[in-house]
Amino acid sequence: MARPPAAPHVWLIPLKDLDDDARAVKLGELAGVELGAGQDRFVGEPLRMALVGLAEESRHPYVLDVDGAAVGAATLQSGAARSAGWADDDSAWLLRGFAIDRRSQGRGYGTAAATEAVREAARLTAALGGTQSGVVLSVNEANPAGQAAYRKAGFEDRGQYLGGDGGPQRIMYRGF
């Protein structure tokens, strides 16, 4: 009997931990990440999101890396969970700016990266002495592929959020 294919591994490379040269290389790779048609309705441009994350202390931007190349970007942010419809800002990390390059979509990278983001959030909480117990995000109701990837990564739907710029959102949460 054939084994099912192994889940892909996606590395979350923390941009703030890289030296200037390595950071410049990874930012250059992010500049080449392409969003799929209409995806800009759901997420910001990956390079811009990473640069914003580097400038803010509460944000921790990551390059999503497979086999040494960027396939996407994500940011974990502390103190901002309410912007995804969560009840408070301090009990959960906000996962934002999450995007997989259109040429790499459909390979399980989104699910794998979301799973790794939860592990990284738990690590950050321990390292920084935070009070978070999980990760929250909002995903547009018109983005069923994104919702499915997050569900596969163990996120649970916690209701509707109407505060997003792109229309109705689903609040999704996964504890660690």
Side-chain angles (χ1 to χ4, degrees):
M1 181 184 284
R3 287 183 155 189
H9 186 78
V10 178
W11 295 97
L12 271 65
I13 299 177
L15 286 169
K16 287 184 176 181
D17 291 352
L18 299 177
D19 65 32
D20 290 344
D21 291 338
R23 186 178 306 115
V25 168
K26 287 300 174 187
L27 288 172
E29 290 179 16
L30 276 183
V33 169
E34 296 179 12
L35 298 176
Q39 196 174 3
D40 58 342
R41 292 180 20 215
F42 309 132
V43 66
E45 191 274 318
L47 177 59
R48 187 185 70 73
M49 296 297 292
L51 293 172
V52 168
L54 286 168
E56 289 187 29
E57 187 176 332
S58 68
R59 295 186 191 207
H60 299 265
Y62 298 88
V63 171
L64 308 178
D65 187 279
V66 173
D67 296 330
V71 298
T75 297
L76 286 167
Q77 185 173 5
S78 63
R82 283 185 184 165
S83 65
W86 199 241
D88 67 272
D89 279 333
D90 299 320
S91 66
W93 287 90
L94 174 64
L95 179 60
R96 66 184 315 155
F98 189 92
I100 301 293
D101 185 285
R102 69 169 182 80
R103 298 161 293 193
S104 296
Q105 292 176 5
R107 299 182 192 175
Y109 297 155
T111 296
T115 299
E116 287 301 314
V118 173
R119 288 187 187 120
E120 179 65 9
R123 186 195 69 75
L124 282 171
T125 298
L128 301 173
T131 59
Q132 300 91 344
S133 59
V135 176
V136 68
L137 58 90
S138 64
V139 57
N140 198 289
E141 289 184 355
N143 183 1
Q147 292 176 52
Y150 293 126
R151 277 193 305 277
K152 285 180 189 174
F155 283 80
E156 298 173 352
D157 189 314
R158 294 293 181 94
Q160 189 179 57
Y161 174 58
L162 298 174
D165 294 336
Q169 309 278 314
R170 301 308 303 171
I171 302 164
M172 299 190 81
Y173 174 81
R174 179 174 168 190
F176 40 79

